[in-house]
Amino acid sequence: MILPAERELRAVLARFAQTRIDHDVRPSGRTSRALDDVTYTLCVMTGARTAEQALLAADALLERYGTDREGGTQADETLAA
């Protein structure tokens, strides 16, 4: 699986959260379609089949990005050499 860029993943997570709130507050056909769309995008980005799995995968990816920043990545070490 190709890993999504952290920035893009965070943007989709923010969009998912806002869309979920919008749909919960005022459910309509528009909010339902928007929620389906952003859920699909999140699932594709994370390689998951459900929103719940996608959110868990996104959390794991964000943890990985944080670990990579703290410890440095192989690419960073190669570039520094």
Side-chain angles (χ1 to χ4, degrees), residues 7 16 21 25 27-30 36-37 42 48 55-56 58-59 64 67 76 81:
R7 183 179 198 177
F16 177 85
I21 291 167
V25 171
S28 68
R30 184 189 64 75
D36 286 346
D37 179 54
L42 185 59
L55 291 170
L56 290 171
D59 284 344
R64 179 176 174 182
T67 300
D76 291 341

Side-chain angles (χ1 to χ4, degrees), residues 50-77:
T50 67
E52 292 79 17
Q53 291 172 348
L55 291 170
L56 290 171
D59 284 344
L61 283 170
L62 292 174
E63 179 73 25
R64 179 176 174 182
Y65 293 141
T67 300
D68 286 349
R69 264 196 309 275
E70 290 172 5
T73 63
Q74 182 66 25
D76 291 341
E77 293 170 8

Side-chain angles (χ1 to χ4, degrees), residues 1-10 41-48 57-66 68 73:
M1 175 176 86
I2 297 174
L3 294 179
E6 181 179 4
R7 183 179 198 177
E8 297 302 319
L9 180 60
R10 287 184 183 279
T41 302
L42 185 59
C43 285
V44 169
M45 287 181 89
T46 60
D59 284 344
L61 283 170
L62 292 174
E63 179 73 25
R64 179 176 174 182
Y65 293 141
D68 286 349
T73 63

